[in-house]
Amino acid sequence: MISFASLFVGLVFGLVNVQLVAARGVDRVDLVLDGRSVAEVREPWKVPLDLGCEPSPHELVAIAYDAKGKEVG
């Protein structure tokens, strides 16, 4: 239902542009960075995201929801 179109390889920090690809029926996507909700994304499925000033490992998770608020991906 949802996937990342952006690819981050190597040391990535600072402001990055996150782009997603969503299937039909996805109304919004919540981005969770290191366990903390950081953005709500809607079409056109793009958002700038600040990873901070210091290079360090991060986990970025996308959770897709339909128009009724049900998790779909």
Side-chain angles (χ1 to χ4, degrees), residues 31-62:
L31 290 180
V32 179
L33 180 64
D34 299 331
R36 184 175 57 97
S37 181
V38 292
E40 182 180 288
V41 186
R42 295 181 187 268
E43 268 193 281
W45 310 118
K46 297 178 189 178
V47 65
L49 187 64
D50 189 357
L51 297 178
C53 298
E54 298 293 323
S56 62
H58 293 287
E59 178 183 44
L60 182 60
V61 177

Side-chain angles (χ1 to χ4, degrees), residues 2-73:
I2 188 77
S3 61
F4 286 96
S6 303
L7 179 62
F8 305 111
V9 179
L11 295 176
V12 180
F13 58 97
L15 193 60
V16 296
N17 290 310
V18 176
Q19 186 167 355
L20 306 164
V21 177
R24 187 183 341 224
V26 174
D27 181 62
R28 78 172 204 278
V29 176
D30 289 346
L31 290 180
V32 179
L33 180 64
D34 299 331
R36 184 175 57 97
S37 181
V38 292
E40 182 180 288
V41 186
R42 295 181 187 268
E43 268 193 281
W45 310 118
K46 297 178 189 178
V47 65
L49 187 64
D50 189 357
L51 297 178
C53 298
E54 298 293 323
S56 62
H58 293 287
E59 178 183 44
L60 182 60
V61 177
I63 305 168
Y65 295 92
D66 67 11
K68 295 181 181 178
K70 178 182 174 191
E71 185 176 322
V72 293

